[in-house]
Amino acid sequence: MKYVEKDMLRRFGNDLVGVIPWGTHLCQFYESKQDLIDILVPYFAEGLRSNEFCMWVTSQPLEVKEATEALREVVPDLGEYVRKGQIEIISYNDWYLLGGKFDSSRVLQGWVEKEKVALKRGFEGLRLTGNTLWVERTLWKSFVDYEEVINSVIGAHRMIALCTYCLTSCSGTDVVDVVRNHVGTLIKQVDKWYLVEDAARRKAVNSALKLSEQKYSALFENMQDGFAYHKVLFDEAGRPVDYVFLEVNDAFERLTGLKRENIRGKRVTQVLPGIEKDPANW
């Protein structure tokens, strides 16, 4: 019997955005420290829960210490994630301006290396953000060009990126530059956040997801091997203790005698009592 897990979509951490595929490049316009906390804290909390490697590159007005404290309020065991190397919260000086200069090629390669190491260590992919307040006017054109190139880099990897821009520091043409380089833009009006999406890009993403889903479903239903798609359940120590049947194919029904209508949504320990005593290593 074979078991598969489909993880193409990731939860963003905010219902406004919902689920997004790997390769998504979003931006946020903020005006205050609290604006950053409102979006970035749940964004990274979700990444940690989803076994992603998280990298938070900070700048004023929310720097390393305050960012760490804000995240710890939502993720009380943040220290454990730090100890096992699942998250890095660093200053822009230690990422964008190594050696005192901005080198877009080095930064781009740095993201790719971070993702490579994350996957090798068993994480699902890379979730990142970078605050751009440090970008001086003389660097703006170079940084905009970097943001344009990073779309193709992120799109080809298991990465999710959220770039943050101070709205009060951006001119009208700056805003156009930023929006053009991202598939979606988070912006706050009065006390409510909105997501402004690039309709053409979103349509392309949705079409690709739909096609992928159709191909997956056709393979799933027509193959001769029995397949079951599960959600694994863990205890507080992170040990797998059970799993839930989410979907099975026709061959699984035929080979096991278990009907999907009778097992879907149920734990395996309900469907097969005593299986928890099986000597196999869960």
Side-chain angles (χ1 to χ4, degrees):
M1 204 66 60
K2 297 181 180 179
Y3 299 91
V4 297
E5 183 176 352
K6 188 176 59 170
D7 63 348
M8 180 170 53
L9 297 177
R10 316 302 295 176
R11 294 185 181 278
F12 178 81
N14 180 299
D15 290 340
L16 183 63
V17 180
V19 293
I20 52 178
W22 288 118
T24 298
H25 186 200
L26 300 168
C27 69
Q28 175 198 2
F29 283 113
Y30 68 90
E31 294 186 80
S32 68
K33 182 188 304 184
Q34 189 59 48
D35 287 348
L36 290 169
I37 291 172
D38 289 346
I39 298 298
L40 295 179
V41 166
Y43 171 72
F44 281 117
E46 183 62 47
L48 293 174
R49 286 193 294 266
S50 300
N51 192 41
E52 298 168 11
F53 175 68
C54 299
M55 191 161 174
W56 188 343
V57 184
T58 70
S59 179
Q60 294 182 344
L62 185 65
E63 299 192 81
V64 173
K65 183 178 180 180
E66 290 179 300
T68 302
E69 291 173 351
L71 185 56
R72 196 187 308 277
E73 289 186 9
V74 175
V75 185
D77 55 344
L78 178 62
E80 183 58 34
Y81 287 109
V82 173
R83 279 190 289 275
K84 71 177 184 177
Q86 190 176 343
I87 184 168
E88 293 180 25
I89 304 177
I90 63 175
S91 168
Y92 71 93
N93 281 307
D94 298 323
W95 184 254
Y96 291 114
L97 296 181
L98 286 178
K101 61 179 292 187
F102 173 64
D103 182 339
S104 60
S105 297
R106 178 191 57 76
V107 175
L108 287 169
Q109 186 58 37
W111 295 128
V112 174
E113 288 299 319
K114 287 290 184 181
E115 181 226 22
K116 181 179 179 181
V117 172
L119 295 176
K120 187 175 181 180
R121 296 183 58 212
F123 297 120
E124 301 296 321
L126 170 63
R127 178 174 298 227
L128 65 98
T129 190
N131 192 337
T132 62
L133 189 63
W134 58 271
V135 180
E136 299 177 357
R137 181 52 50 186
T138 55
L139 286 176
W140 181 259
K141 177 63 167 59
S142 296
F143 196 81
V144 169
D145 291 343
Y146 153 80
E147 283 277 68
E148 185 173 1
V149 174
I150 203 173
N151 277 319
S152 59
V153 174
I154 291 174
H157 293 269
R158 294 173 72 87
M159 299 182 189
I160 296 170
L162 175 62
C163 304
T164 58
Y165 291 83
C166 179
L167 188 58
T168 57
S169 299
C170 292
S171 68
T173 55
D174 293 342
V175 171
V176 173
D177 286 337
V178 173
V179 172
R180 175 171 55 85
N181 282 329
H182 299 85
V183 71
T185 303
L186 285 159
I187 191 166
K188 190 176 184 181
Q189 291 185 340
V190 190
D191 293 325
K192 187 175 181 181
W193 284 99
Y194 294 88
L195 176 63
V196 180
E197 296 187 274
D198 182 320
R201 290 184 184 178
R202 175 56 71 179
K203 183 177 180 180
V205 168
N206 287 341
S207 295
L209 289 175
K210 184 176 180 180
L211 179 60
S212 178
E213 180 70 23
Q214 290 171 344
K215 290 180 177 179
Y216 172 84
S217 296
L219 173 65
F220 189 73
E221 292 302 331
N222 295 320
M223 65 189 315
Q224 297 303 306
D225 291 326
F227 265 67
Y229 174 40
H230 298 122
K231 175 182 179 181
V232 181
L233 304 179
F234 301 86
D235 63 15
E236 293 181 355
R239 293 184 295 265
V241 294
D242 211 332
Y243 53 89
V244 176
F245 286 94
L246 298 182
E247 189 56 270
V248 301
N249 68 353
D250 291 344
F252 184 93
E253 289 187 307
R254 186 174 64 254
L255 293 169
T256 66
L258 298 172
K259 298 299 181 183
R260 59 165 57 88
E261 62 267 23
N262 296 330
I263 64 174
R264 205 158 40 188
K266 293 184 178 179
R267 299 185 178 204
V268 68
T269 49
Q270 295 174 291
V271 175
L272 301 171
I275 193 174
E276 66 274 15
K277 299 176 184 178
D278 191 289
N281 187 338
W282 283 37

